[in-house]
Amino acid sequence: MSLNREQKLAAWTTPLNGILCLALVLACEIPEPPDAVWVHIPEGASLEAVSESLATHAIVSSAASFARFARMGQKHLGIKPGTYPFRPRTPMGKVLGALRKGRPPVQRVVVREGGWLDEIAATVQQRMGIPAESLHAAARDSALRSIAGTRGQNVNGYLFPTTYYVPVHASAHEVLRQMVDTFVTRWRPEWNARLDTLGLSRDELVTLASIVEGELVHGGDRGEIASVYHNRLARGMRLQADPTVVYALGKRRRLYHGDYAVKSEYNTYRFNGLPPGPINQPSLGSLEAVLYPPDTEFLYFVAQRDGRHAFSRTYKEHLRSIREIRGRRVKPKQAAGQ
């Protein structure tokens, strides 16, 4: 419904910055436990540096105790450089065993909230040298689509947005399997009962969450946006969601009046109900907003200059909001796509 795609793109934040020496990166999936902490141990790191870093981040309880334990039988001499996932308060024996076993070299790949499959494929190609076409082919794999449970022709929508550490020699299928598995891990079992209450399948909910994600500049009003779309679906109204038009066009850019007529089953200005699949990778916040929207009577919204949205219950109120935001008179037929 709202435009302002340039603001939305500008709102994408630069992912995790590098940290000198021993770098610990939180909330990264391989998939490992969701609370895993990734530790990068560079070539030639001293036992003292390793021990102190592990203790600082609560992976072991004491740096001195871990160092003494590691020196027993000079086992510390077998510690290998690499990037390791650990859970907080892991037994020292398991930590040391993992450090001595080593891990294959990994590449850092970021999947952004609201990212398109095309964009993820380009990132993987740039970071890992896997051709984008190979990733697209893997995304259509029937086994992966079955794991995701998607209605769509690929696993778009199920590549959970986070930072991944991917083995450098992974195939396109292995890269996407890691991302899909992370989505499955993050999906909470209690949400399945909520789907029954809403009368939606998981794929329908992910599709709606991806539309909400596409509208966002500020996450604070995602609940109200979700409520608008739920209310429109309940009343048999077309969603008229701008992000679906942008997706149908295949290029992130400002929309013009003629764009709303694009012939695509993803264009929610032309077709009733939800599009045939997700349009991007929704965040946990958008999934939760669609699962548990606030109870409102809103049916319309328009983007304000700061990127937040003004919500309206009636079309008349909606036109008034547009006039107030844009400072000019808007005819009813010009309000499409707001």
Side-chain angles (χ1 to χ4, degrees):
M1 297 189 67
S2 66
L3 287 173
N4 218 345
R5 298 299 308 181
E6 293 178 357
Q7 286 182 304
K8 293 168 186 173
L9 289 172
W12 279 6
T13 56
T14 302
L16 300 169
N17 294 323
I19 301 177
L20 296 177
C21 299
L22 290 177
L24 285 99
V25 185
L26 300 174
C28 305
E29 316 291 340
I30 212 159
E32 298 285 345
D35 57 349
V37 177
W38 283 83
V39 184
H40 176 67
I41 298 181
E43 189 77 36
S46 68
L47 176 59
E48 287 71 23
V50 173
S51 302
E52 187 62 37
S53 185
L54 293 172
T56 298
H57 294 272
I59 294 168
V60 298
S61 59
S62 167
S65 296
F66 181 80
R68 286 196 299 270
F69 178 79
R71 285 195 175 94
M72 293 174 59
Q74 295 189 329
K75 291 180 180 179
H76 67 289
L77 299 178
I79 291 178
K80 297 179 174 61
T83 305
Y84 299 82
F86 291 117
R87 298 184 67 175
R89 296 172 295 281
T90 299
M92 291 190 296
K94 287 188 176 181
V95 174
L96 183 58
L99 295 176
R100 286 170 56 84
K101 183 178 180 181
R103 287 181 67 87
V106 294
Q107 182 59 264
R108 180 172 174 270
V109 175
V110 176
V111 175
R112 302 181 187 278
E113 297 175 351
W116 290 358
L117 179 60
D118 285 349
E119 295 163 342
I120 296 169
T123 297
V124 171
Q125 178 171 295
Q126 179 185 29
R127 301 289 292 177
M128 303 189 64
I130 298 174
E133 311 86 71
S134 298
L135 206 82
H136 279 287
R140 296 190 294 270
D141 178 74
S142 59
L144 277 181
R145 288 190 288 114
S146 177
I147 293 170
T150 180
R151 299 169 296 147
Q153 298 178 348
N154 56 49
V155 292
N156 190 38
Y158 296 88
L159 309 178
F160 189 82
T162 188
T163 300
Y164 295 88
Y165 286 88
V166 183
V168 295
H169 299 301
S171 66
H173 185 278
E174 290 167 340
V175 172
L176 293 188
R177 176 62 188 268
Q178 181 173 324
M179 296 174 181
V180 172
D181 283 349
T182 299
F183 175 92
V184 173
T185 299
R186 289 302 189 95
W187 181 268
R188 300 171 188 169
E190 61 268 25
W191 289 352
N192 294 319
R194 181 61 180 167
L195 292 177
D196 293 337
T197 301
L198 295 173
L200 297 173
S201 69
R202 185 169 80 173
D203 191 62
E204 289 171 335
L205 185 124
V206 173
T207 299
L208 188 52
S210 73
I211 296 174
V212 171
E213 191 70 48
E215 296 282 9
L216 293 175
V217 174
H218 294 284
D221 54 9
R222 76 176 79 223
E224 287 74 15
I225 293 174
S227 75
V228 168
Y229 288 133
H230 273 295
N231 292 341
R232 292 179 75 90
L233 286 172
R235 289 164 174 76
M237 300 172 67
R238 290 181 180 174
L239 294 182
Q240 296 186 322
D242 283 9
T244 65
V245 179
V246 174
Y247 183 78
L249 293 171
K251 185 177 181 180
R252 294 187 186 271
R253 63 169 174 79
R254 181 177 181 179
L255 293 178
Y256 298 96
H257 184 74
D259 293 331
Y260 294 101
V262 61
K263 295 181 179 179
S264 168
E265 56 189 342
Y266 281 90
N267 183 356
T268 56
Y269 281 84
R270 289 177 59 93
F271 297 98
N272 294 329
L274 292 165
I279 61 173
N280 61 45
Q281 321 313 312
S283 63
L284 271 181
S286 290
L287 291 170
E288 291 174 332
V290 175
L291 280 161
Y292 304 100
D295 185 11
T296 77
E297 297 179 357
F298 297 140
L299 293 172
Y300 305 91
F301 61 86
V302 59
Q304 302 177 100
R305 296 185 185 278
D306 65 356
R308 300 182 186 277
H309 296 87
F311 296 89
S312 303
R313 295 172 176 80
T314 68
Y315 191 55
K316 184 177 180 180
E317 291 177 0
H318 181 52
L319 293 176
R320 185 185 307 123
S321 294
I322 296 173
R323 288 196 298 269
E324 291 173 353
I325 291 169
R326 300 187 179 178
R328 60 181 174 85
R329 188 172 183 81
V330 179
K331 297 179 181 178
K333 68 178 181 179
Q334 293 177 314
Q338 308 304 316

